Amino acid sequence: ISLMLALARLVDRVGPLATVGTALLAIVGLFVMGTALISIEIRTAMAVVTYAFCQITHNSLNATVGTFYSTDIRARAVAWATGWGRVALTIGPLVTGFLLAAKLPHATILHIMVVPYMVIICICVALGLIYRSRSGLPGSGRATEPAASLRLHPVQ
């Protein structure tokens, strides 16, 4: 929980780029668990730590959604993001079950599980660039603007 709170503060300060770090740590954990060179005890500990980074990554995406929408539609945007997250939570175990049924090596399955995190990283980098360009953060080349300029107003 303390890691999640620390990341929440980071998301407030630097935007979606904060999520990239936890997604990268989740990827590293998945790759390490896929190696046959570690003991079952270390693999179990890695599974717990990797799961924590996966959860933190997913939870920080809700905070990211909240930074891009105005207060009048923010709850709806976060609800949609949460709903799609639930869809992924349903599909993920089904895909994993099919991969296990196909008798793929566990290392291969863990490496396949990296793909969604790579997509998250790409999306968060793109959103982070948008966030930086609109917020006047260092490296954006723009002066600080009002917070309202950070909001994307989707067409309804």
Side-chain angles (χ1 to χ4, degrees), residues 112-121:
I112 290 170
M113 291 171 66
V114 165
V115 173
Y117 291 97
M118 296 300 287
V119 172
I120 288 171
I121 287 172

Side-chain angles (χ1 to χ4, degrees), residues 29 31-47:
F31 271 111
V32 170
M33 285 190 316
T35 65
L37 304 175
I38 58 176
S39 68
I40 191 69
E41 293 84 9
I42 293 174
R43 190 173 294 154
T44 302
M46 283 299 302

Side-chain angles (χ1 to χ4, degrees), residues 21-145:
T22 58
L24 285 172
L25 290 170
I27 288 171
V28 168
L30 289 168
F31 271 111
V32 170
M33 285 190 316
T35 65
L37 304 175
I38 58 176
S39 68
I40 191 69
E41 293 84 9
I42 293 174
R43 190 173 294 154
T44 302
M46 283 299 302
V48 171
V49 171
T50 301
Y51 177 76
F53 281 116
C54 291
Q55 285 301 108
I56 292 168
T57 300
H58 291 251
N59 289 335
S60 70
L61 293 176
N62 289 335
T64 298
V65 169
T67 62
F68 282 96
Y69 289 94
S70 61
T71 53
D72 58 331
I73 62 169
R74 187 173 298 147
R76 183 179 300 167
V78 172
W80 272 95
T82 303
W84 281 108
R86 302 281 179 189
V87 170
L89 281 170
T90 303
I91 293 171
L94 290 172
V95 171
T96 304
F98 285 122
L99 296 173
L100 288 169
K103 298 189 191 288
L104 289 174
H106 289 194
T108 302
I109 294 170
L110 289 169
H111 295 155
I112 290 170
M113 291 171 66
V114 165
V115 173
Y117 291 97
M118 296 300 287
V119 172
I120 288 171
I121 287 172
C122 292
I123 290 170
C124 285
V125 166
L127 289 174
L129 293 173
I130 292 168
Y131 183 84
R132 286 179 92 75
S133 71
R134 293 184 178 189
S135 67
L137 289 173
S140 68
R142 298 186 70 187
T144 304
E145 300 172 11

